[in-house]
Amino acid sequence: MTLPPFDLHRPQSLEEATELADRYGEDAAFYCGGTELLLLLKLGFASFGHLIDLKGVEELAGVRSEDGCLVVGAAVTHRALERSELVRERLPALADMERKVANIRVREVGTLGGNLCFSDPHSDPATFLLALDAEVEYRRGGEAAQRAPISDFVVGPYQTVLGEGEVLTSVRIPELPPGAAVAHAKFAFHERPTATVACLARVADGEIAEARVAVGSVGARPVRAPAAEQMLIGAPAEEIGNGLLAEAGERAGEAAAPVDDATGSAEYKAQLVRVLVARTFREATA
Ligand SMILES: Cc1cc2nc3c(=O)[nH]c(=O)nc-3n(C[C@H](O)[C@H](O)[C@H](O)COP(=O)(O)OP(=O)(O)OC[C@H]3O[C@@H](n4cnc5c(N)ncnc54)[C@H](O)[C@@H]3O)c2cc1C
């Protein structure tokens, strides 16, 4: 596998990046770590004469805490998130989830923004961020930023809301409210997950006051499972019955609309969801 020739552009601002995208149109593509895009080029699944490297664009860099949110620049790598002291202090579950993404070579260069923009249905971060009600910010150079909940940003397999020349700049992740915890679990045979589950539980007065169940990798896109969430509310946090958790897992499996693919049959994935939802929700309440 060899890379076909292309011109490499390294803009230093978003304005410059958009100007390059406009100039070269369909013959240009943005990239950050290149772990997905360069693979596609090598395999001959895509071809571009111009690649626009976003790593030098300052507003896509860094992690900060702002207005009760962790704000992660789109160009921050999985490895940087896994090791960030700020993330470990404010939202350790994010660092734990990131440590389970891919392998160390991919995490070292692959970015959170690249993962979300590629919109592979087998994404751990997209599912995890859905359970946290995260939002993304994106814009074209010269225009104001737009915000969208992660549930709207990911439209389907390899499809996002991003239009021509629009760049994902950051991901805003609300810090957990008091009494809440989030847990993530995945199951994988191959490189990408077969099933990914993230659950948030908020406990008040010994009962589940809020439940969020997000399921990904099994269907066309990550989804929340409202029926599962509803049935968990009001359960005693210290002794959630196995029957109730199994029922919630069943509802989550239905909501996820599993499909047969190279990572497993729909039936098998639904069974994985049943097991992972029960385990993950229990972990979040513990
Ligand atoms: C071997 C392997 C194993 C993997 N395992 C897992 C796994 O277990 N779990 C998981 O969730 N993922 C997994 N992945 C996916 C991995 O997380 C992504 O490859 C990585 O995060 C993509 O980031 P990148 O910066 O390299 O993207 P790039 O390849 O640079 O870009 C990907 C796409 O997004 C676009 N893009 C990138 N950044 C922006 C931006 N800021 N604005 C607009 N468009 C942009 C590009 O045009 C391109 O179409 C795996 C990948 C590999 C290769």
Side-chain angles (χ1 to χ4, degrees):
M1 289 193 295
T2 50
L3 270 176
F6 53 81
D7 287 344
L8 182 60
H9 303 271
R10 295 203 152 124
Q12 298 298 302
S13 70
L14 208 111
E15 281 58 38
E16 214 188 315
T18 301
E19 196 272 315
L20 284 162
D22 288 346
R23 191 188 313 159
Y24 296 111
E26 290 191 349
D27 198 27
F30 293 129
Y31 86 102
C32 229
T35 58
E36 301 288 18
L37 191 71
L38 298 186
L39 194 58
L40 290 186
L41 297 183
K42 280 185 189 168
L43 292 168
F45 291 162
S47 163
F48 299 100
H50 300 267
L51 294 193
I52 306 168
D53 180 356
L54 296 170
K55 288 191 286 294
V57 178
E58 181 66 31
E59 72 183 82
L60 271 60
V63 185
R64 62 184 194 279
S65 176
E66 182 185 285
D67 301 334
C69 286
L70 264 186
V71 182
V72 180
V76 174
T77 64
H78 298 294
R79 185 84 171 131
L81 281 173
E82 179 189 335
R83 296 164 66 106
S84 158
E85 277 188 23
L86 184 64
V87 173
R88 291 231 142 262
E89 183 195 313
R90 299 295 174 97
L91 193 52
L94 174 62
D96 293 343
M97 180 278 295
E98 287 290 354
R99 192 167 351 104
K100 290 184 250 165
V101 168
N103 55 53
I104 195 160
R105 280 176 55 212
V106 171
R107 292 202 300 278
E108 195 67 54
V109 285
T111 63
L112 180 60
N115 183 295
L116 299 177
C117 290
F118 194 60
S119 195
D120 185 320
H122 302 93
S123 164
D124 290 304
T127 309
F128 181 83
L129 294 172
L130 199 55
L132 283 166
D133 280 343
E135 291 186 313
V136 293
E137 267 196 7
Y138 56 96
R139 72 179 189 96
R140 275 177 60 86
E143 292 181 9
Q146 301 189 60
R147 254 188 217 180
I150 192 79
S151 51
D152 290 350
F153 181 76
V154 177
V155 174
Y158 313 104
Q159 258 187 307
T160 67
V161 290
L162 289 181
E164 291 294 311
E166 286 181 334
V167 172
L168 177 69
T169 53
S170 63
V171 182
R172 303 179 65 86
I173 312 170
E175 289 176 19
L176 294 174
V182 65
H184 162 261
K186 69 191 283 182
F187 193 85
F189 303 103
H190 307 297
E191 284 165 338
R192 321 261 168 153
T194 302
T196 309
V197 169
C199 293
L200 179 144
R202 184 167 62 80
V203 175
D205 300 327
E207 288 187 351
I208 305 296
E210 185 180 3
R212 298 186 207 157
V213 177
V215 183
S217 302
V218 297
R221 62 196 282 259
V223 294
R224 288 273 291 271
E229 295 174 352
Q230 277 308 315
M231 68 174 51
L232 291 164
I233 293 172
E238 290 219 348
E239 42 178 309
I240 306 179
N242 288 336
L244 179 61
L245 285 172
E247 187 69 14
E250 187 79 31
R251 296 288 87 78
E254 289 163 10
V259 293
D260 296 330
D261 68 14
T263 67
S265 68
E267 189 190 359
Y268 181 62
K269 289 178 181 181
Q271 172 61 12
L272 284 177
V273 172
R274 283 194 280 273
V275 173
L276 291 181
V277 165
R279 275 189 204 161
T280 311
F281 197 80
R282 205 184 277 290
E283 191 188 328
T285 55

